[in-house]
Amino acid sequence: MKAAYLEGTANIRVRESAVPAPAAHEALVRIRSVGICASDIHYYEHGRIGHFVVEQPLILGHEPSGEIVAVGAEVAHLAPGDRVSIEPGVPCHGCEHCQAGRYNLCPDVVFMATPPVHGAFAEYVAHPASRCFKIPDGMSYDAAALIEPLSVGLYAVERGQAVLGDRAVVLGAGPIGLVTLLSLKSQGIDAVTVVDVVDFRLEKARELGAERTVDAREVDVASELADSFDVVFETAGAPATVVQSIGLAARGGRVVLVGLSPDDTAPIDTNHIIDKGLDVVGVFRYAHTWPKAIELVASGRVDLEPLVSAHYPLEDVQDAMDFARSRKDACIKVMVEP
């Protein structure tokens, strides 16, 4: 098969690789669509994220969907021809976090495209069958691939305990900010404000149903929106918006930190948090979201297709990565089609 390997900073080479043989508990999936994530771009640009360092050629891509072509001897719920969305993380199932249902916190999780684990920029992937979820015939492979980022949004809404009648604000209209908007609206929460600095992304937020969009280049967000929201979702991953999130929350509100900042710290006013009685929570990936996300898309309550901005074949993965990282004014999600 063909697979795209990151062989150095901003250097991806497509080369021949052996088709993996599925183990007894695995399925062999012919990959049809893979979304490019910000973490893929970070590895592409810098060769590392924190203590995860690309030391050997690595296949990126952890937002995949595809078609089952073979299953291991122990797999009974899948068969060749089934169309699936793949959950990329495989937890240990035995640690205290897995046992408590918080498998996203498993310290031994094996996660696609996280060194040294290969991802899905390849024609075939062998993956645990328990992490391959069947999709209905009417769902596109693009939408099935984007169940992964949608899961981040759904889990953020769950962590923020957002309910009907809440006033919500999403800081950042990138892919995660927009799936957070879609997740809020899927739960009947329509009073959603989205803040960004890119015209294209603000227009996309309006298209997807934001009640209000705010251009932070033109509005003093910290002062004009202070104390306005029951729940604040910080998805931009910028120190400035992390600081803003505390000021935007109303008394007794919730702040949900989703975006990963390039800086380890931000000067948050802890006295402000205490005085307002805020709940501040972090979101790390997701847990138990795939069936719900698939149902929301299948029912039409969430439409992921407007997020797709471009398609590239596997041979042009490097061009796809360059487009995704340099054209925030023109794209939300770039899809690779092995």
Side-chain angles (χ1 to χ4, degrees), residues 6 8-10 38-56 58 60 113-115 260 262:
L6 178 65
T9 303
S39 65
D40 296 318
I41 295 171
H42 201 89
Y43 282 124
Y44 178 71
E45 291 182 321
H46 305 289
R48 66 185 301 150
I49 296 178
H51 64 278
F52 292 103
V53 180
V54 180
E55 297 178 339
Q56 301 292 330
L58 179 71
L60 295 172
T114 301
L260 288 173

Side-chain angles (χ1 to χ4, degrees), residues 180-202:
T180 301
L181 165 64
L182 290 171
S183 298
L184 286 163
K185 291 187 65 65
S186 77
Q187 305 306 302
I189 302 164
D190 292 321
V192 184
T193 296
V194 177
V195 181
D196 205 280
V197 296
V198 179
D199 292 334
F200 175 79
R201 296 190 166 194
L202 289 168

Side-chain angles (χ1 to χ4, degrees), residues 8 60 66 76 80 105 117 121 125 152 178 180 189 194 196 214 217 225 255:
L60 295 172
L105 302 180
V117 182
F121 288 161
V125 165
V152 177
L178 293 176
T180 301
I189 302 164
V194 177
D196 205 280
V214 175
R217 297 168 299 183
L225 301 181
V255 174

Side-chain angles (χ1 to χ4, degrees), residues 297-308:
V297 175
S299 68
R301 291 170 63 189
V302 170
D303 183 6
L304 295 171
E305 301 292 345
L307 299 179
V308 178

Side-chain angles (χ1 to χ4, degrees), residues 126-161:
H127 198 66
S130 63
R131 291 291 185 249
C132 297
F133 294 84
K134 286 193 280 190
I135 60 171
D137 290 339
M139 185 180 295
S140 72
Y141 282 119
D142 283 352
L146 296 181
I147 293 296
E148 199 277 344
L150 176 61
S151 287
V152 177
L154 288 171
Y155 198 59
V157 171
E158 179 182 328
R159 291 279 286 157
Q161 299 179 2

